[in-house]
Amino acid sequence: MRRRDVLKLASVAAVPVPALGHEAPAAPGLGHETPAASFDTPGGADFPKVGGNLGNQNYTGLRRIDAGNVRRLRGAWMNSIENGLRTGNSQSTAVAVDGVLFIESALGNVVAVDGVTGQTKWRYDQTRGALTRRGVAVGDGHVFTKSNDNYVIALDQQTGQVVWEKQVNGFGNIEKVAVVHHDGLLFCGTNDGPRGAALALDARTGEVLWHFWGTPGPGEFGNDTWEGDSWAEGGATPWIHPAVDPDLGLTYWTFGNARGNNSSQDGSARGGSNLFANSLVALDMRTGEYRWHFQSIHHDIWDMDNVMSPVLADVRIRGRMRKVVVYGSKSGMFFILDRTDGTAPLGVVERPVPQEPRQKTWPTQPFPVQGGWTEQRVVDQPLGTTVPGDPNRAVPNYVRGALYTPHWDIPILSIPGHGGGADWSHLSFSHRTGLVYTGYGYVAAAHSLTEAANGLRPPGEYQTGGIVAVDVSTNTVRWKRRIPYSLAHGNGILTTATDLLFIGQPDGNLLGLDARTGRELWRFQTGAAISSSPIMYKAGGKQYLAVFAGGTSIPYGNSAPRGDFLWAFELGGTMGPVPAPPPPVIRRPVSGAPVEGATVANTVIIGRTATGTTESFTVAGMNPTHLRVPVGTTVTFTNHPGNAGPRGVTQFFEGLFDVMLAPGESFTYTFDRAGEYFFNDPASPRSTGKVEVYRP
């Protein structure tokens, strides 16, 4: 079936469809004094919301800082907002209103900071325990945040005192997602649960005005796309903040992957396309009524949910101005859709994909006619060649696949991976260049029903990434720059009216690039990993660049340096870069703690865990998984005599050895150079170990 025919059917079904899962209330916000803002208002003196404006463009019209003087940027001030906290997950982006920055810490506390002096004006400490947050909303004299136990909280913008609190139960977890405020409404997503809804609340009281379920219930449009009662635990939570177009009266939400039936990788008991999982849905801003949807992945079994903050733009396509929404993340491709009706002005095609009947896979998947902007297949680069090699290089011994290769009981390695592509990076659209920009990651994943949760990121793989600029009018890549770190997890981009681009890295460096070419112009070491978006604002007659450097565990675990540093920069500032913290470990670690070789006779037992008494094919199926030895040590690798068949060791990517051993057989290798040497088992590549060789 042609994609446009599918969309026509969806559009016909959509109008007039009654509000889903709720009764349409009286239109909220009517008579509200705040005039409707445009979706594309550039940041100016204020950068008033996460995403910069209602269209999530992350773009500023300020022009004082440009390519000619960006090298003069230095720190104006730095506020350690939690007095030296060096743990936790910081995923919040600051907003700036009336010369004050509002930020949430790794504990979820809200801190208001003077944008000129860097001094704390007030703070709100969570009363229900720490939680990870992704940004406040500011409006009507209030600052809106959330807490554990599904509370939405309104604080006085001037004092931080609680104005109201409202517990919002019955719609999923309402704790992590950034809040969006517009015209008396609060738009709140939900996260990490068996079922979740998009919500609109009354900003004056916190009362729920409407909701829209990611998995429709009986009698609701889309329920018949779920087998039996699988919708009840189907996931599809809208776990990132939406976009809003006030002129069209629509909000745009991205809903997450399908879940249930053991894990998100198991589709055997939830036949159907599984709406509205993996979908962009346009809803009436006042009533929550369904207008249209676009599903980017049918019957997802890879956790490739394409959840991102939709980016709105008005661009000229084939000589005609079009109102578009940019959608796409993990799959490494953008769908450029008309935001009035969900049609695709640049074309989308449904292509046949490999099938696995036991998974009830969908026969086709949608692709933009222009293709993607990143690699969608792992490559088998021979061992012993350049290390690390291609960013999409496959860890050896896995069955190699591509995007949408199905799986069952044997792990299939594919890319971009459920932690790769653009994942939940915050995009930027430049009014000057007409390009949309995103950070992305290369994080290949092995999927099978033997894997827990969402899939296995193979130990030993290099987790790198890059930045890509895509022309929205043609959906083609303008430029691409590889980066030694994944930039797929909250590493937002800011573009400016002077054609600059700013993005933070997990090593603590904040980069300034030429937005037209990707050439690096400036960098500054902040002292901690950055997993937030830079912003610009103006206060006290000066223009500032700001970013929160705190760090998060995805994808580098505790090796990503942590901090609580809210930085502001100005031309001619007095503060220089801080010493660089230890950089993140970009290779996926093995499981288990290091073991000194002398304590285990410099021997690795293949197919056994540290505590197990039976043969193991798990990621911990090497004993030990992490062996430490001095240079010159001869290490013995033994296939346990009690194992049922041949097991072995393949060293990657240097290719030092690749052997198979019968039960009871051994192999020795002398390590004469310092370094770390990963190896896995050809019979079960999930079982992975590492020899760390050091100089005494």
Side-chain angles (χ1 to χ4, degrees), residues 591-593 595 600 603-626 638-640 643 647 681 684 686-688:
S591 65
V595 173
V600 291
T603 298
V604 174
I605 305 298
I606 305 167
R608 298 292 163 132
T609 65
T611 58
T613 58
T614 59
E615 187 170 7
S616 172
F617 295 91
T618 68
V619 291
M622 297 284 180
N623 183 20
T625 54
H626 183 174
T638 299
N639 183 2
H640 192 281
N643 289 343
R647 305 290 294 266
D681 176 11
S684 174
R686 302 166 72 244
S687 300
T688 307

PDB file of all heavy atoms in Angstrom, residues 591-593 595 600 603-626 638-640 643 647 681 684 686-688:
ATOM      1  N   SER A 591      30.718  -6.833  32.567  1.00  0.00           N
ATOM      2  CA  SER A 591      30.090  -6.917  33.877  1.00  0.00           C
ATOM      3  C   SER A 591      31.120  -7.400  34.895  1.00  0.00           C
ATOM      4  O   SER A 591      32.057  -8.120  34.546  1.00  0.00           O
ATOM      5  CB  SER A 591      28.897  -7.876  33.844  1.00  0.00           C
ATOM      6  OG  SER A 591      29.333  -9.195  33.568  1.00  0.00           O
ATOM      7  N   GLY A 592      30.943  -7.008  36.117  1.00  0.00           N
ATOM      8  CA  GLY A 592      31.827  -7.505  37.172  1.00  0.00           C
ATOM      9  C   GLY A 592      33.000  -6.595  37.457  1.00  0.00           C
ATOM     10  O   GLY A 592      33.431  -5.796  36.627  1.00  0.00           O
ATOM     11  N   ALA A 593      33.536  -6.744  38.671  1.00  0.00           N
ATOM     12  CA  ALA A 593      34.662  -5.942  39.145  1.00  0.00           C
ATOM     13  C   ALA A 593      35.990  -6.551  38.694  1.00  0.00           C
ATOM     14  O   ALA A 593      36.061  -7.741  38.379  1.00  0.00           O
ATOM     15  CB  ALA A 593      34.614  -5.852  40.673  1.00  0.00           C
ATOM     16  N   VAL A 595      39.596  -8.286  38.789  1.00  0.00           N
ATOM     17  CA  VAL A 595      40.201  -9.331  39.619  1.00  0.00           C
ATOM     18  C   VAL A 595      41.678  -9.400  39.270  1.00  0.00           C
ATOM     19  O   VAL A 595      42.042  -9.468  38.091  1.00  0.00           O
ATOM     20  CB  VAL A 595      39.528 -10.698  39.363  1.00  0.00           C
ATOM     21  CG1 VAL A 595      40.265 -11.810  40.105  1.00  0.00           C
ATOM     22  CG2 VAL A 595      38.063 -10.656  39.776  1.00  0.00           C
ATOM     23  N   VAL A 600      43.895 -15.736  40.692  1.00  0.00           N
ATOM     24  CA  VAL A 600      43.174 -16.793  39.968  1.00  0.00           C
ATOM     25  C   VAL A 600      44.113 -17.519  39.004  1.00  0.00           C
ATOM     26  O   VAL A 600      43.672 -18.071  37.988  1.00  0.00           O
ATOM     27  CB  VAL A 600      41.963 -16.219  39.200  1.00  0.00           C
ATOM     28  CG1 VAL A 600      40.885 -15.746  40.177  1.00  0.00           C
ATOM     29  CG2 VAL A 600      42.383 -15.098  38.270  1.00  0.00           C
ATOM     30  N   THR A 603      44.134 -17.060  35.021  1.00  0.00           N
ATOM     31  CA  THR A 603      43.312 -17.958  34.214  1.00  0.00           C
ATOM     32  C   THR A 603      41.885 -17.432  34.103  1.00  0.00           C
ATOM     33  O   THR A 603      41.303 -16.938  35.080  1.00  0.00           O
ATOM     34  CB  THR A 603      43.288 -19.365  34.829  1.00  0.00           C
ATOM     35  OG1 THR A 603      44.617 -19.887  34.832  1.00  0.00           O
ATOM     36  CG2 THR A 603      42.379 -20.305  34.042  1.00  0.00           C
ATOM     37  N   VAL A 604      41.335 -17.538  32.896  1.00  0.00           N
ATOM     38  CA  VAL A 604      39.940 -17.211  32.637  1.00  0.00           C
ATOM     39  C   VAL A 604      39.215 -18.504  32.276  1.00  0.00           C
ATOM     40  O   VAL A 604      39.651 -19.244  31.391  1.00  0.00           O
ATOM     41  CB  VAL A 604      39.797 -16.201  31.483  1.00  0.00           C
ATOM     42  CG1 VAL A 604      38.323 -15.987  31.137  1.00  0.00           C
ATOM     43  CG2 VAL A 604      40.463 -14.877  31.832  1.00  0.00           C
ATOM     44  N   ILE A 605      38.127 -18.786  32.978  1.00  0.00           N
ATOM     45  CA  ILE A 605      37.310 -19.962  32.693  1.00  0.00           C
ATOM     46  C   ILE A 605      36.147 -19.534  31.808  1.00  0.00           C
ATOM     47  O   ILE A 605      35.345 -18.676  32.177  1.00  0.00           O
ATOM     48  CB  ILE A 605      36.777 -20.607  33.987  1.00  0.00           C
ATOM     49  CG1 ILE A 605      37.941 -20.923  34.936  1.00  0.00           C
ATOM     50  CG2 ILE A 605      35.972 -21.854  33.661  1.00  0.00           C
ATOM     51  CD1 ILE A 605      38.938 -21.911  34.374  1.00  0.00           C
ATOM     52  N   ILE A 606      36.055 -20.147  30.644  1.00  0.00           N
ATOM     53  CA  ILE A 606      35.029 -19.794  29.668  1.00  0.00           C
ATOM     54  C   ILE A 606      33.730 -20.524  29.997  1.00  0.00           C
ATOM     55  O   ILE A 606      33.732 -21.717  30.301  1.00  0.00           O
ATOM     56  CB  ILE A 606      35.484 -20.169  28.252  1.00  0.00           C
ATOM     57  CG1 ILE A 606      36.841 -19.533  27.934  1.00  0.00           C
ATOM     58  CG2 ILE A 606      34.454 -19.763  27.210  1.00  0.00           C
ATOM     59  CD1 ILE A 606      37.504 -20.107  26.700  1.00  0.00           C
ATOM     60  N   GLY A 607      32.622 -19.797  29.930  1.00  0.00           N
ATOM     61  CA  GLY A 607      31.314 -20.418  30.100  1.00  0.00           C
ATOM     62  C   GLY A 607      30.878 -20.602  31.529  1.00  0.00           C
ATOM     63  O   GLY A 607      29.930 -21.358  31.791  1.00  0.00           O
ATOM     64  N   ARG A 608      31.552 -19.919  32.459  1.00  0.00           N
ATOM     65  CA  ARG A 608      31.152 -19.986  33.872  1.00  0.00           C
ATOM     66  C   ARG A 608      31.142 -18.587  34.458  1.00  0.00           C
ATOM     67  O   ARG A 608      31.995 -17.753  34.113  1.00  0.00           O
ATOM     68  CB  ARG A 608      32.116 -20.869  34.669  1.00  0.00           C
ATOM     69  CG  ARG A 608      32.157 -22.313  34.203  1.00  0.00           C
ATOM     70  CD  ARG A 608      30.843 -23.027  34.493  1.00  0.00           C
ATOM     71  NE  ARG A 608      30.678 -24.258  33.741  1.00  0.00           N
ATOM     72  CZ  ARG A 608      30.300 -25.412  34.283  1.00  0.00           C
ATOM     73  NH1 ARG A 608      30.062 -25.498  35.578  1.00  0.00           N
ATOM     74  NH2 ARG A 608      30.138 -26.469  33.512  1.00  0.00           N
ATOM     75  N   THR A 609      30.206 -18.323  35.337  1.00  0.00           N
ATOM     76  CA  THR A 609      30.194 -17.064  36.073  1.00  0.00           C
ATOM     77  C   THR A 609      31.018 -17.219  37.341  1.00  0.00           C
ATOM     78  O   THR A 609      31.452 -18.322  37.695  1.00  0.00           O
ATOM     79  CB  THR A 609      28.759 -16.653  36.433  1.00  0.00           C
ATOM     80  OG1 THR A 609      28.223 -17.609  37.346  1.00  0.00           O
ATOM     81  CG2 THR A 609      27.878 -16.583  35.195  1.00  0.00           C
ATOM     82  N   ALA A 610      31.197 -16.117  38.023  1.00  0.00           N
ATOM     83  CA  ALA A 610      32.019 -16.132  39.229  1.00  0.00           C
ATOM     84  C   ALA A 610      31.418 -16.999  40.317  1.00  0.00           C
ATOM     85  O   ALA A 610      32.132 -17.561  41.152  1.00  0.00           O
ATOM     86  CB  ALA A 610      32.223 -14.708  39.740  1.00  0.00           C
ATOM     87  N   THR A 611      30.093 -17.134  40.330  1.00  0.00           N
ATOM     88  CA  THR A 611      29.438 -17.893  41.400  1.00  0.00           C
ATOM     89  C   THR A 611      28.667 -19.102  40.885  1.00  0.00           C
ATOM     90  O   THR A 611      28.177 -19.903  41.681  1.00  0.00           O
ATOM     91  CB  THR A 611      28.459 -16.990  42.166  1.00  0.00           C
ATOM     92  OG1 THR A 611      27.499 -16.455  41.245  1.00  0.00           O
ATOM     93  CG2 THR A 611      29.199 -15.835  42.832  1.00  0.00           C
ATOM     94  N   GLY A 612      28.537 -19.237  39.561  1.00  0.00           N
ATOM     95  CA  GLY A 612      27.709 -20.300  39.022  1.00  0.00           C
ATOM     96  C   GLY A 612      28.391 -21.657  39.018  1.00  0.00           C
ATOM     97  O   GLY A 612      29.624 -21.757  38.954  1.00  0.00           O
ATOM     98  N   THR A 613      27.585 -22.689  39.071  1.00  0.00           N
ATOM     99  CA  THR A 613      28.100 -24.063  39.030  1.00  0.00           C
ATOM    100  C   THR A 613      27.675 -24.791  37.760  1.00  0.00           C
ATOM    101  O   THR A 613      27.991 -25.959  37.581  1.00  0.00           O
ATOM    102  CB  THR A 613      27.601 -24.851  40.257  1.00  0.00           C
ATOM    103  OG1 THR A 613      26.173 -24.845  40.258  1.00  0.00           O
ATOM    104  CG2 THR A 613      28.125 -24.229  41.544  1.00  0.00           C
ATOM    105  N   THR A 614      26.933 -24.082  36.887  1.00  0.00           N
ATOM    106  CA  THR A 614      26.517 -24.672  35.621  1.00  0.00           C
ATOM    107  C   THR A 614      26.985 -23.782  34.476  1.00  0.00           C
ATOM    108  O   THR A 614      27.371 -22.625  34.678  1.00  0.00           O
ATOM    109  CB  THR A 614      24.990 -24.829  35.557  1.00  0.00           C
ATOM    110  OG1 THR A 614      24.383 -23.535  35.719  1.00  0.00           O
ATOM    111  CG2 THR A 614      24.491 -25.746  36.658  1.00  0.00           C
ATOM    112  N   GLU A 615      26.930 -24.314  33.266  1.00  0.00           N
ATOM    113  CA  GLU A 615      27.395 -23.574  32.100  1.00  0.00           C
ATOM    114  C   GLU A 615      26.550 -22.321  31.895  1.00  0.00           C
ATOM    115  O   GLU A 615      25.332 -22.338  32.040  1.00  0.00           O
ATOM    116  CB  GLU A 615      27.337 -24.462  30.860  1.00  0.00           C
ATOM    117  CG  GLU A 615      27.965 -23.824  29.634  1.00  0.00           C
ATOM    118  CD  GLU A 615      28.123 -24.794  28.478  1.00  0.00           C
ATOM    119  OE1 GLU A 615      27.613 -25.939  28.579  1.00  0.00           O
ATOM    120  OE2 GLU A 615      28.757 -24.415  27.477  1.00  0.00           O
ATOM    121  N   SER A 616      27.237 -21.242  31.537  1.00  0.00           N
ATOM    122  CA  SER A 616      26.563 -19.956  31.362  1.00  0.00           C
ATOM    123  C   SER A 616      26.833 -19.406  29.968  1.00  0.00           C
ATOM    124  O   SER A 616      27.957 -19.467  29.471  1.00  0.00           O
ATOM    125  CB  SER A 616      27.049 -18.944  32.411  1.00  0.00           C
ATOM    126  OG  SER A 616      26.537 -17.657  32.138  1.00  0.00           O
ATOM    127  N   PHE A 617      25.766 -18.841  29.375  1.00  0.00           N
ATOM    128  CA  PHE A 617      25.884 -18.150  28.090  1.00  0.00           C
ATOM    129  C   PHE A 617      25.533 -16.671  28.242  1.00  0.00           C
ATOM    130  O   PHE A 617      25.269 -15.991  27.269  1.00  0.00           O
ATOM    131  CB  PHE A 617      24.959 -18.805  27.056  1.00  0.00           C
ATOM    132  CG  PHE A 617      25.338 -20.224  26.725  1.00  0.00           C
ATOM    133  CD1 PHE A 617      24.789 -21.284  27.435  1.00  0.00           C
ATOM    134  CD2 PHE A 617      26.257 -20.499  25.723  1.00  0.00           C
ATOM    135  CE1 PHE A 617      25.130 -22.594  27.133  1.00  0.00           C
ATOM    136  CE2 PHE A 617      26.608 -21.805  25.421  1.00  0.00           C
ATOM    137  CZ  PHE A 617      26.051 -22.860  26.124  1.00  0.00           C
ATOM    138  N   THR A 618      25.559 -16.174  29.463  1.00  0.00           N
ATOM    139  CA  THR A 618      25.200 -14.787  29.745  1.00  0.00           C
ATOM    140  C   THR A 618      26.396 -13.874  29.535  1.00  0.00           C
ATOM    141  O   THR A 618      27.514 -14.316  29.263  1.00  0.00           O
ATOM    142  CB  THR A 618      24.712 -14.648  31.193  1.00  0.00           C
ATOM    143  OG1 THR A 618      25.827 -14.882  32.086  1.00  0.00           O
ATOM    144  CG2 THR A 618      23.613 -15.653  31.511  1.00  0.00           C
ATOM    145  N   VAL A 619      26.166 -12.553  29.700  1.00  0.00           N
ATOM    146  CA  VAL A 619      27.256 -11.589  29.560  1.00  0.00           C
ATOM    147  C   VAL A 619      28.322 -11.806  30.632  1.00  0.00           C
ATOM    148  O   VAL A 619      29.472 -11.393  30.461  1.00  0.00           O
ATOM    149  CB  VAL A 619      26.738 -10.139  29.633  1.00  0.00           C
ATOM    150  CG1 VAL A 619      25.905  -9.803  28.413  1.00  0.00           C
ATOM    151  CG2 VAL A 619      25.945  -9.888  30.910  1.00  0.00           C
ATOM    152  N   ALA A 620      27.956 -12.454  31.714  1.00  0.00           N
ATOM    153  CA  ALA A 620      28.919 -12.731  32.782  1.00  0.00           C
ATOM    154  C   ALA A 620      29.533 -14.116  32.650  1.00  0.00           C
ATOM    155  O   ALA A 620      30.171 -14.603  33.593  1.00  0.00           O
ATOM    156  CB  ALA A 620      28.233 -12.600  34.140  1.00  0.00           C
ATOM    157  N   GLY A 621      29.385 -14.738  31.479  1.00  0.00           N
ATOM    158  CA  GLY A 621      29.854 -16.110  31.293  1.00  0.00           C
ATOM    159  C   GLY A 621      31.336 -16.236  31.036  1.00  0.00           C
ATOM    160  O   GLY A 621      31.771 -17.064  30.214  1.00  0.00           O
ATOM    161  N   MET A 622      32.148 -15.435  31.687  1.00  0.00           N
ATOM    162  CA  MET A 622      33.604 -15.566  31.757  1.00  0.00           C
ATOM    163  C   MET A 622      33.990 -15.373  33.217  1.00  0.00           C
ATOM    164  O   MET A 622      33.482 -14.463  33.881  1.00  0.00           O
ATOM    165  CB  MET A 622      34.310 -14.508  30.900  1.00  0.00           C
ATOM    166  CG  MET A 622      34.043 -14.590  29.403  1.00  0.00           C
ATOM    167  SD  MET A 622      34.948 -15.943  28.642  1.00  0.00           S
ATOM    168  CE  MET A 622      34.425 -15.757  26.922  1.00  0.00           C
ATOM    169  N   ASN A 623      34.870 -16.183  33.713  1.00  0.00           N
ATOM    170  CA  ASN A 623      35.254 -16.074  35.121  1.00  0.00           C
ATOM    171  C   ASN A 623      36.770 -15.989  35.243  1.00  0.00           C
ATOM    172  O   ASN A 623      37.459 -16.968  35.026  1.00  0.00           O
ATOM    173  CB  ASN A 623      34.748 -17.283  35.902  1.00  0.00           C
ATOM    174  CG  ASN A 623      35.059 -17.171  37.389  1.00  0.00           C
ATOM    175  OD1 ASN A 623      35.297 -16.076  37.883  1.00  0.00           O
ATOM    176  ND2 ASN A 623      35.066 -18.296  38.083  1.00  0.00           N
ATOM    177  N   PRO A 624      37.272 -14.750  35.556  1.00  0.00           N
ATOM    178  CA  PRO A 624      36.535 -13.507  35.776  1.00  0.00           C
ATOM    179  C   PRO A 624      36.254 -12.794  34.451  1.00  0.00           C
ATOM    180  O   PRO A 624      36.891 -13.077  33.440  1.00  0.00           O
ATOM    181  CB  PRO A 624      37.484 -12.691  36.645  1.00  0.00           C
ATOM    182  CG  PRO A 624      38.837 -13.118  36.183  1.00  0.00           C
ATOM    183  CD  PRO A 624      38.717 -14.593  35.843  1.00  0.00           C
ATOM    184  N   THR A 625      35.334 -11.847  34.498  1.00  0.00           N
ATOM    185  CA  THR A 625      35.063 -11.046  33.307  1.00  0.00           C
ATOM    186  C   THR A 625      36.118  -9.963  33.105  1.00  0.00           C
ATOM    187  O   THR A 625      36.335  -9.515  31.979  1.00  0.00           O
ATOM    188  CB  THR A 625      33.685 -10.376  33.406  1.00  0.00           C
ATOM    189  OG1 THR A 625      33.617  -9.646  34.639  1.00  0.00           O
ATOM    190  CG2 THR A 625      32.567 -11.410  33.365  1.00  0.00           C
ATOM    191  N   HIS A 626      36.759  -9.533  34.182  1.00  0.00           N
ATOM    192  CA  HIS A 626      37.752  -8.456  34.113  1.00  0.00           C
ATOM    193  C   HIS A 626      38.996  -8.909  34.866  1.00  0.00           C
ATOM    194  O   HIS A 626      39.014  -8.942  36.100  1.00  0.00           O
ATOM    195  CB  HIS A 626      37.171  -7.178  34.724  1.00  0.00           C
ATOM    196  CG  HIS A 626      38.085  -5.990  34.641  1.00  0.00           C
ATOM    197  ND1 HIS A 626      37.691  -4.725  35.034  1.00  0.00           N
ATOM    198  CD2 HIS A 626      39.376  -5.851  34.221  1.00  0.00           C
ATOM    199  CE1 HIS A 626      38.690  -3.880  34.869  1.00  0.00           C
ATOM    200  NE2 HIS A 626      39.724  -4.546  34.383  1.00  0.00           N
ATOM    201  N   THR A 638      40.480 -21.286  29.467  1.00  0.00           N
ATOM    202  CA  THR A 638      40.085 -22.692  29.556  1.00  0.00           C
ATOM    203  C   THR A 638      38.591 -22.849  29.362  1.00  0.00           C
ATOM    204  O   THR A 638      37.790 -22.165  30.019  1.00  0.00           O
ATOM    205  CB  THR A 638      40.487 -23.281  30.917  1.00  0.00           C
ATOM    206  OG1 THR A 638      41.907 -23.208  31.059  1.00  0.00           O
ATOM    207  CG2 THR A 638      40.042 -24.728  31.041  1.00  0.00           C
ATOM    208  N   ASN A 639      38.223 -23.753  28.455  1.00  0.00           N
ATOM    209  CA  ASN A 639      36.824 -24.154  28.330  1.00  0.00           C
ATOM    210  C   ASN A 639      36.546 -25.170  29.434  1.00  0.00           C
ATOM    211  O   ASN A 639      37.116 -26.261  29.454  1.00  0.00           O
ATOM    212  CB  ASN A 639      36.559 -24.774  26.948  1.00  0.00           C
ATOM    213  CG  ASN A 639      35.095 -25.140  26.743  1.00  0.00           C
ATOM    214  OD1 ASN A 639      34.256 -24.902  27.600  1.00  0.00           O
ATOM    215  ND2 ASN A 639      34.796 -25.739  25.595  1.00  0.00           N
ATOM    216  N   HIS A 640      35.686 -24.783  30.359  1.00  0.00           N
ATOM    217  CA  HIS A 640      35.428 -25.614  31.527  1.00  0.00           C
ATOM    218  C   HIS A 640      35.094 -27.044  31.094  1.00  0.00           C
ATOM    219  O   HIS A 640      34.287 -27.258  30.173  1.00  0.00           O
ATOM    220  CB  HIS A 640      34.267 -25.027  32.331  1.00  0.00           C
ATOM    221  CG  HIS A 640      34.088 -25.631  33.679  1.00  0.00           C
ATOM    222  ND1 HIS A 640      33.462 -26.843  33.877  1.00  0.00           N
ATOM    223  CD2 HIS A 640      34.460 -25.194  34.914  1.00  0.00           C
ATOM    224  CE1 HIS A 640      33.445 -27.125  35.163  1.00  0.00           C
ATOM    225  NE2 HIS A 640      34.050 -26.127  35.823  1.00  0.00           N
ATOM    226  N   ASN A 643      31.454 -28.058  30.495  1.00  0.00           N
ATOM    227  CA  ASN A 643      30.623 -27.446  29.465  1.00  0.00           C
ATOM    228  C   ASN A 643      30.216 -28.482  28.422  1.00  0.00           C
ATOM    229  O   ASN A 643      30.931 -29.455  28.172  1.00  0.00           O
ATOM    230  CB  ASN A 643      31.360 -26.288  28.798  1.00  0.00           C
ATOM    231  CG  ASN A 643      31.491 -25.089  29.731  1.00  0.00           C
ATOM    232  OD1 ASN A 643      30.791 -24.997  30.739  1.00  0.00           O
ATOM    233  ND2 ASN A 643      32.401 -24.177  29.405  1.00  0.00           N
ATOM    234  N   ARG A 647      33.660 -24.056  23.197  1.00  0.00           N
ATOM    235  CA  ARG A 647      33.586 -22.636  23.529  1.00  0.00           C
ATOM    236  C   ARG A 647      34.926 -22.035  23.136  1.00  0.00           C
ATOM    237  O   ARG A 647      35.879 -22.761  22.854  1.00  0.00           O
ATOM    238  CB  ARG A 647      33.305 -22.403  25.023  1.00  0.00           C
ATOM    239  CG  ARG A 647      32.077 -23.086  25.598  1.00  0.00           C
ATOM    240  CD  ARG A 647      30.769 -22.486  25.099  1.00  0.00           C
ATOM    241  NE  ARG A 647      30.565 -21.120  25.546  1.00  0.00           N
ATOM    242  CZ  ARG A 647      29.884 -20.766  26.647  1.00  0.00           C
ATOM    243  NH1 ARG A 647      29.341 -21.715  27.412  1.00  0.00           N
ATOM    244  NH2 ARG A 647      29.711 -19.498  26.957  1.00  0.00           N
ATOM    245  N   ASP A 681      33.096 -14.959  23.223  1.00  0.00           N
ATOM    246  CA  ASP A 681      33.042 -16.382  22.895  1.00  0.00           C
ATOM    247  C   ASP A 681      32.335 -16.571  21.553  1.00  0.00           C
ATOM    248  O   ASP A 681      31.178 -16.164  21.407  1.00  0.00           O
ATOM    249  CB  ASP A 681      32.287 -17.106  24.010  1.00  0.00           C
ATOM    250  CG  ASP A 681      32.076 -18.586  23.748  1.00  0.00           C
ATOM    251  OD1 ASP A 681      32.679 -19.117  22.799  1.00  0.00           O
ATOM    252  OD2 ASP A 681      31.300 -19.201  24.505  1.00  0.00           O
ATOM    253  N   SER A 684      28.985 -18.025  21.981  1.00  0.00           N
ATOM    254  CA  SER A 684      28.000 -17.183  22.664  1.00  0.00           C
ATOM    255  C   SER A 684      28.617 -15.804  22.857  1.00  0.00           C
ATOM    256  O   SER A 684      29.219 -15.524  23.900  1.00  0.00           O
ATOM    257  CB  SER A 684      27.605 -17.773  24.023  1.00  0.00           C
ATOM    258  OG  SER A 684      26.753 -16.878  24.728  1.00  0.00           O
ATOM    259  N   ARG A 686      27.602 -13.052  23.670  1.00  0.00           N
ATOM    260  CA  ARG A 686      27.178 -12.288  24.850  1.00  0.00           C
ATOM    261  C   ARG A 686      28.191 -12.445  25.974  1.00  0.00           C
ATOM    262  O   ARG A 686      28.408 -11.521  26.759  1.00  0.00           O
ATOM    263  CB  ARG A 686      25.805 -12.770  25.319  1.00  0.00           C
ATOM    264  CG  ARG A 686      24.728 -12.661  24.269  1.00  0.00           C
ATOM    265  CD  ARG A 686      23.469 -13.442  24.610  1.00  0.00           C
ATOM    266  NE  ARG A 686      22.704 -12.832  25.667  1.00  0.00           N
ATOM    267  CZ  ARG A 686      22.480 -13.379  26.847  1.00  0.00           C
ATOM    268  NH1 ARG A 686      23.010 -14.570  27.126  1.00  0.00           N
ATOM    269  NH2 ARG A 686      21.763 -12.768  27.750  1.00  0.00           N
ATOM    270  N   SER A 687      28.815 -13.610  26.090  1.00  0.00           N
ATOM    271  CA  SER A 687      29.804 -13.860  27.146  1.00  0.00           C
ATOM    272  C   SER A 687      31.094 -13.139  26.773  1.00  0.00           C
ATOM    273  O   SER A 687      31.787 -13.523  25.828  1.00  0.00           O
ATOM    274  CB  SER A 687      30.053 -15.364  27.292  1.00  0.00           C
ATOM    275  OG  SER A 687      28.857 -16.036  27.627  1.00  0.00           O
ATOM    276  N   THR A 688      31.397 -12.094  27.516  1.00  0.00           N
ATOM    277  CA  THR A 688      32.493 -11.192  27.156  1.00  0.00           C
ATOM    278  C   THR A 688      33.376 -10.924  28.364  1.00  0.00           C
ATOM    279  O   THR A 688      32.885 -10.778  29.491  1.00  0.00           O
ATOM    280  CB  THR A 688      31.946  -9.852  26.627  1.00  0.00           C
ATOM    281  OG1 THR A 688      31.015 -10.118  25.570  1.00  0.00           O
ATOM    282  CG2 THR A 688      33.057  -8.969  26.102  1.00  0.00           C
TER     283      THR A 688
END
